Amino acid sequence: MMTPLSMPTEKGLATATQPVPTLRRGACPSLTTPMQTGDGLLVRLRPARPGLAPAGYISIARLAAEHGNGLLEVTARGNLQLRGLKDETVAPLAAGLAAAGIDLNRGVAVETPALSGLDPDEIADATQLSAAIRQAIAGPLSMLRLAPKLSIVVDGGGRLNLADMVGDIRLDAVRRGESLFWRLSVGGDVRSGRPVAAVADRDALPALAVLLRVLSGMGTAARGRDLDAGALRVALGAMAVDVDFPAQPAFPPSPIGRHAIGTRSVLGVGLPYGATDAVTLERLMRGLAGLGATEIRLSPHRVLLVLGLSAGAVDAAASLAERAGFWTRADAPGNAIAVCAGAVGCASGTFDTKAVADQLVLRAPGLLDGSMIVHISGCAKGCAHPMPAVLALCGRMDGIGVVFGGRSEDSELATLSPETAGRAMEKLATLVREQRLKGETVRQAIERLGAGAIADIVRQGRQ
Ligand code: SF4
């Protein structure tokens, strides 16, 4: 029999049904559909407000320890994940979040830059359009059948814009004179997405509704990559206009580190390998509050943005975060590694992923120039980096598979043991250093060297 669950929504408490754990990769883990992982159930939270006070994070940390295993993660898209829950602890977690006044967004993810509305350099405040989109999807468009993991990126620009975030549908702000336009594209980031058309600000929501109706007509498996950009432009009719757009738009800097946003000092604090534990998070939040922090915003790239610090307090806050094990430098080598919980935090993991990541940082920092992400995955599921990576180390029954230019489940070039992984990566770093052409990034060098050379050097490293 179904039991009621009090679940926070944008409008406060609503009644939901008993959570239904899912193993489906295409599903989005939430309080109503937590995902079964090797260390229990995982829930992904998207707070409705752009930022929470440090006390809000302390509440979340305590709830994570009380109802889960105390591990918390910030994902590459800037969502918060709690791990190690059980069937019977999901409802108390939801009630605890509601009691703490933490409302959550549900359904289709509508992503905006973390500092929307605060950055004087942004082209438009994306929060207004994103709120209208959420209301439309919850209201007049609620009959549409959309993919559970569908994401809409509304990028108003600014220093920490979302140019590098892949979305099923993107709306990028463009200003021409006094007029605001939104450039619609599908199935990619601002560079790789296929452009549909620009639309005037007043037409942004109706134009998006056209795209969503087309997607709905294609079924719940349809994603932005399945859309025909040319046909969509035709479907937009008179709403479609042509507006010049940079051919190669710039990607934002890393959110980790110090940022001057107008008159504000903002500190980006990176979670080491995207994860922390409840005790450490509470300690960080208490320290930041003591230094004057008033608000913490979740950011893509596994970062917490600290607001409210005076210019003089930023260094002290950075030192505090470093002492607690967090990263405050954009060039920290670990930023270039995507790591899942691995065997330490997940029963599906076949090796200690973070220990191998530490080996990579220690023995092969030359591979971590930021031009590519090295994916270290405890098993073939690839939770930390579902897309292809130039280089991935993935758990297999007989060791760690080295995957070149693929997803974690793809065929490996060679297999290493946890003991030989560091040495093999050191040899690869040496090869790249010796063979790299002037001006080449590590990624370009590895791609030029190719699978054969990578396989040879990795095999040498395991001997
Ligand atoms: S990829 Fe990592 S976190 Fe995901 S199930 Fe495998 S071991 Fe667990």
Side-chain angles (χ1 to χ4, degrees):
M1 182 171 156
M2 299 283 201
T3 54
L5 162 69
S6 288
M7 172 154 164
T9 69
E10 289 170 292
K11 293 179 183 155
L13 289 178
T15 301
T17 52
Q18 181 77 15
V20 182
T22 178
L23 281 164
R24 280 192 305 122
R25 193 173 188 170
C28 200
S30 65
L31 281 168
T32 45
T33 53
M35 185 169 70
Q36 188 73 55
T37 70
D39 59 344
L41 298 176
L42 175 151
V43 295
R44 188 171 300 155
L45 309 178
R46 285 184 277 128
R49 273 177 284 152
L52 297 174
Y57 282 90
I58 291 173
S59 297
I60 292 173
R62 290 180 177 179
L63 290 166
E66 186 180 351
H67 302 300
N69 61 9
L71 282 180
L72 301 102
E73 297 168 331
V74 176
T75 69
R77 297 181 78 87
N79 295 313
L80 191 63
Q81 289 185 168
L82 274 52
R83 305 190 67 102
L85 292 122
K86 301 187 176 76
D87 283 334
E88 61 274 22
T89 62
V90 176
L93 168 68
L97 290 166
I102 299 168
D103 293 340
L104 303 173
N105 282 331
R106 296 192 299 154
V108 172
V110 185
E111 325 264 14
T112 57
L115 299 178
S116 286
L118 300 180
D119 188 344
D121 291 333
E122 67 188 4
I123 300 167
D125 178 356
T127 54
Q128 295 169 14
L129 178 55
S130 62
I133 292 170
R134 286 193 192 97
Q135 282 174 7
I137 291 174
L141 301 179
S142 59
M143 82 299 291
L144 298 183
R145 297 168 64 247
L146 301 170
K149 288 187 82 170
L150 194 82
S151 68
I152 300 169
V153 176
V154 184
D155 191 356
R159 178 172 171 80
L160 300 182
N161 61 66
L162 297 183
D164 58 346
M165 180 177 278
V166 170
D168 291 284
I169 301 174
R170 287 189 62 93
L171 296 102
D172 289 279
V174 193
R175 199 170 280 282
R176 291 289 173 267
E178 293 297 302
S179 301
L180 175 64
F181 298 89
W182 295 90
R183 177 193 186 249
L184 280 161
S185 61
V186 293
D189 59 31
V190 75
R191 294 181 185 167
S192 63
R194 286 168 295 122
V196 175
V199 295
D201 186 38
R202 66 175 180 280
D203 289 332
L205 192 54
L208 176 68
V210 171
L211 270 61
L212 292 176
R213 286 197 180 93
V214 172
L215 270 174
S216 176
M218 296 164 69
T220 55
R223 304 293 298 271
R225 60 179 174 263
D226 305 315
L227 290 167
D228 179 337
L232 289 175
R233 185 184 169 97
V234 172
L236 291 178
M239 287 191 284
V241 294
D242 288 313
V243 173
D244 291 343
F245 198 75
Q248 192 71 351
F251 280 172
S254 168
I256 297 183
R258 297 154 172 80
H259 305 281
I261 305 295
T263 56
R264 293 171 204 271
S265 298
V266 177
L267 177 66
V269 174
L271 276 69
Y273 305 129
T276 187
D277 62 81
V279 172
T280 306
L281 185 64
E282 178 164 349
R283 194 184 319 137
L284 175 74
M285 291 299 153
R286 286 192 181 286
L288 291 174
L291 291 168
T294 54
E295 184 181 350
I296 314 293
R297 294 192 172 195
L298 293 163
S299 162
H301 304 287
R302 306 179 168 93
V303 171
L304 299 170
L305 295 174
V306 184
L307 282 74
L309 297 169
S310 67
V314 171
D315 284 347
S319 300
L320 173 96
E322 289 275 349
R323 285 198 302 278
F326 293 87
W327 297 338
T328 63
R329 290 174 54 99
D331 60 358
N335 289 335
I337 310 176
V339 191
C340 75
V344 172
C346 177
S348 298
T350 62
F351 67 102
D352 183 345
T353 48
K354 286 172 188 164
V356 169
D358 285 342
Q359 283 289 306
L360 190 56
V361 170
L362 191 69
R363 302 184 68 159
L367 292 178
L368 306 172
D369 71 341
S371 63
M372 63 177 195
I373 294 292
V374 179
H375 182 195
I376 303 181
S377 183
C379 75
K381 198 169 178 203
C383 296
H385 192 77
M387 58 275 283
V390 176
L391 185 64
L393 303 175
C394 308
R396 302 287 189 255
M397 296 302 287
D398 56 347
I400 303 174
V402 180
V403 176
F404 176 66
R407 292 187 165 83
S408 50
E409 75 264 31
D410 290 339
S411 302
E412 59 271 10
L413 296 174
T415 306
L416 302 167
S417 67
E419 293 73 33
T420 57
R423 187 166 67 233
M425 291 302 107
E426 188 175 351
K427 282 198 168 290
L428 177 58
T430 303
L431 175 74
V432 169
R433 191 181 66 241
E434 291 172 352
Q435 300 286 326
R436 202 166 156 187
L437 302 177
K438 194 165 180 236
E440 245 185 359
T441 64
V442 170
R443 177 189 184 125
Q444 289 164 336
I446 285 185
E447 287 178 337
R448 179 176 52 76
L449 288 166
I454 307 299
D456 285 348
I457 201 78
V458 163
R459 287 193 196 106
Q460 286 175 31
R462 73 183 176 194
Q463 286 161 9

